[in-house]
């Protein structure tokens, strides 16, 4: 609870810097959470995220509020979403590990797609931009080598920067091959044999488990759990990590 209060105080101070409607609503959500009204705070965080006002701090506060009301799966989803937005935030990484342990999940159960880590590294270190810069330097060095054949260093530099540029570009390229993932946010969420509320349940999903998303159909996601079982789950039970939550449905 102390961590929750410290987190929300810091977020409220940050939000007060900008006097905008979104900043006011963020402050309001933090005040609601500090007052113990977690459902309303979470609803407001969700509205902000769905409207495009996403940030790692918003999801971190969302996670604290969800954890305080006992929704650990939702808290883990919010933390993993925060990590997507700011892969270098060590506080988020620590909280992800702490929550994984409290949910008694193996590391593999929250990281079913190893290449996703490459994507986070790429975003953290801007490897796509670095690759472009290195490839541009390689072209420049190749030009110098041709224009001044008496110089030896441009040729070596051209090939070195080309190699480094290709290596940097390979990381985001590899990450693009990973499947999207989602977090099971409800305990005992059913795994159905069809994308329908009347479909037969073939099993249940473990709260907090991260599952690859195989396909989607409206408010349904076809997923694969850690044991290899495949089926459909409702988006209220399983939330994607790679996208903001949808606006509340009427």
């Amino acid at each position: 609870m102390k961590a929750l209060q410290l987190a929300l105080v810091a977020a409220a101070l940050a939000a007060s810097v900008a006097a905008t409607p979104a900043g006011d609503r963020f402050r309001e959500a933090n005040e609601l959470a500090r007052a113990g009204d977690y459902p309303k705070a979470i609803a407001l965080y969700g509205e902000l995220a769905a409207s495009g006002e996403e940030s790692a701090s918003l999801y971190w506060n969302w996670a604290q509020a969800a954890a305080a009301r006992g929704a650990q799966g939702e808290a883990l989803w919010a933390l993993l979403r925060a990590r997507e937005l700011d892969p270098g935030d060590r506080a988020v990484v620590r909280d992800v590990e702490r929550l994984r342990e409290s949910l008694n999940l193996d590391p593999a159960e929250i990281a079913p797609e190893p290449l996703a880590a490459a994507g986070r590294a790429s975003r953290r270190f801007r490897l796509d931009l670095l690759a472009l810069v290195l490839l541009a330097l390689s072209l420049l060095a190749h030009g110098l080598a041709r224009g001044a054949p008496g110089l030896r260093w441009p040729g070596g530099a051209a090939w070195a920067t080309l190699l480094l540029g290709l290596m940097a570009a390979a990381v985001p390229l590899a990450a693009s091959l990973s499947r999207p993932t989602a977090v099971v946010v409800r305990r005992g969420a059913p795994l159905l044999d069809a994308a329908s509320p009347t479909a037969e349940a073939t099993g249940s999903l473990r709260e907090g488990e991260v599952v690859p998303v195989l396909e989607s159909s409206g408010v349904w996601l076809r997923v694969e759990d850690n044991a290899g079982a495949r089926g459909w789950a409702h988006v209220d039970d399983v939330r994607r990590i790679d996208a903001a939550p949808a606006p509340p449905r009427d």
Side-chain angles (χ1 to χ4, degrees), residues 76 100-101 103-107 109-110 206-209:
L76 181 60
R100 179 192 67 76
E101 292 177 352
L103 285 164
N104 198 28
L105 295 168
D106 293 329
E109 290 182 290
I110 67 165
R206 189 176 182 186
E207 183 182 14
E209 182 181 357

Side-chain angles (χ1 to χ4, degrees), residues 60 79 89-100:
W60 198 60
L79 287 171
D89 192 326
R90 294 183 179 179
V92 169
V93 174
R94 287 195 299 268
D95 276 1
V96 166
E97 184 62 16
R98 176 185 55 78
L99 202 49
R100 179 192 67 76

Side-chain angles (χ1 to χ4, degrees), residues 179-184 190-192 205 210-216 220-226 228-234 238-240:
R179 297 174 294 183
T181 53
V183 180
V184 181
L191 190 65
L192 307 176
L205 297 167
V210 178
V211 292
V213 177
L214 307 177
E215 60 180 299
S216 61
W220 299 93
L221 298 176
R222 186 167 179 260
V223 302
E224 179 181 356
D225 71 8
N226 188 257
R230 295 184 175 187
W232 293 88
H234 198 276
V238 179
R239 293 186 188 170
R240 289 181 65 142

